[in-house]
Amino acid sequence: MKTFSSLFNIHKKGKFGDFENKNEKNLLKIEELSNLLIFQLVKFKSSNFEVKKIKIDNLNLPDPLKSSSNSSTRILWMGPDNWLVISSDLNLLKQEEKKFDDKNFALTDISHSRTIIEIEGNLTDEVIKKGCPLDINDLKQGDCANSVYNGMSIVIDFISDDPKKVRIFSLRSFGESLHHSITDACLEYGYIGN
Amino acid sequence: MLNIKCPYCGDRAQKEFAYGGDGTVKRPELNKEVSNKEWDDFVYMRKSLRGKHIELWHHISGCRQWFRAQRDTATHEIFKTAKISEEI
């Protein structure tokens, strides 16, 4: 069976919006990220397991509202004793699941249930501000936050400050609406769909 | 915009939260004989206070945790929030 990314028929490549007479380096870049492993790690409330002992892909589980990352994997804090792991190493879950026993943890592969849109460019904050109530000026590289964008529940992962780059995650079923909202917000600045 | 301080995430906009009702209602004890009146009171009967009120809120588009908030139902001022396991 052939699999399709959630924005396969939606996301278009090229230049859109008010891009004319603007330096290409200053335009926003929008990309759909696919073929990533995404799994949720939850420690049960009844468990006394010390999570500081745990490492996934040699990364510690991050503190509240933070992320930890290396070249292939990012771990995001989702809530108390709840983390989201995103990795380009598709075998990571199989390698790591032995560390997590059923009495203390639940591991759930949700790779196919999310849409990920990456936005890059100096005006990224302005695009987020248009639909999201977060105080975006306080958020920097290494932060992550759950919030809403035009009413859709999202997760924002702040990848880098220079160049400004964020990833926005939503449920796959909201992917098309989120993509429409994000690209619509980008039109006045001009953007490149990659 | 009304801001609510989630005990886990800090100040966030109200649109990330869902109201969960009166935070002082206690369920009748388990395995105890419960009269129709007691059950009716627990399920349906609520006070509609004007002034300070303890409420349940859910950070549904955030950390997905329930917590208690002390709010003035007339002014919407929120005085205090606390984790479910904590006293308010």
Side-chain angles (χ1 to χ4, degrees), chain A residues 36 57 59 69-74 86-89 92 167:
Chain A
L36 292 174
D57 202 9
L59 294 169
S69 63
N70 60 26
S71 58
S72 60
T73 302
R74 299 187 67 81
I86 303 106
S87 182
S88 55
D89 178 359
L92 186 67
R167 283 180 190 172

Side-chain angles (χ1 to χ4, degrees), chain A residues 45 64-65 77-80 133-134 145-148 153-154, chain B residues 1 8-10 12-13 15-16 59-65:
Chain A
K45 282 185 178 162
L65 305 169
W77 183 86
M78 291 286 101
L134 281 176
N146 291 293
S147 191
V148 287
S153 288
I154 55 160
Chain B
M1 185 194 289
Y8 301 93
C9 305
R12 294 294 185 89
K15 56 165 94 164
E16 291 185 11
H59 196 186
I60 196 162
S61 292
C63 59
R64 295 181 175 83
Q65 300 297 302

Side-chain angles (χ1 to χ4, degrees), chain A residues 8 19 31 40 49 64 68 78 82 89 96 108:
Chain A
F8 178 74
F19 64 87
E31 187 178 358
Q40 188 186 39
F49 197 93
S68 52
M78 291 286 101
N82 189 335
D89 178 359
E96 300 285 348
T108 314

Side-chain angles (χ1 to χ4, degrees), chain B residues 9-36:
Chain B
C9 305
D11 264 346
R12 294 294 185 89
Q14 189 240 321
K15 56 165 94 164
E16 291 185 11
F17 296 86
Y19 175 69
D22 190 333
T24 59
V25 176
K26 288 205 169 116
R27 193 186 197 284
E29 266 181 60
L30 282 175
N31 304 320
K32 193 190 143 198
E33 193 68 30
V34 182
S35 69
N36 286 343

Side-chain angles (χ1 to χ4, degrees), chain A residues 123-152:
Chain A
L123 294 161
T124 300
D125 283 358
E126 303 306 315
V127 175
I128 297 171
K129 281 179 200 170
K130 282 190 181 185
C132 175
L134 281 176
D135 187 0
I136 211 82
N137 296 328
D138 285 349
L139 296 162
K140 298 179 190 70
Q141 179 178 332
D143 290 333
C144 67
N146 291 293
S147 191
V148 287
Y149 196 92
N150 289 352
M152 291 168 272

Side-chain angles (χ1 to χ4, degrees), chain A residues 18 22 27-28 123 126-127 130 185-191:
Chain A
D18 190 9
K22 286 184 179 169
L27 292 177
L28 287 154
L123 294 161
E126 303 306 315
V127 175
K130 282 190 181 185
C186 291
L187 285 176
E188 71 167 290
Y189 311 116
Y191 75 92

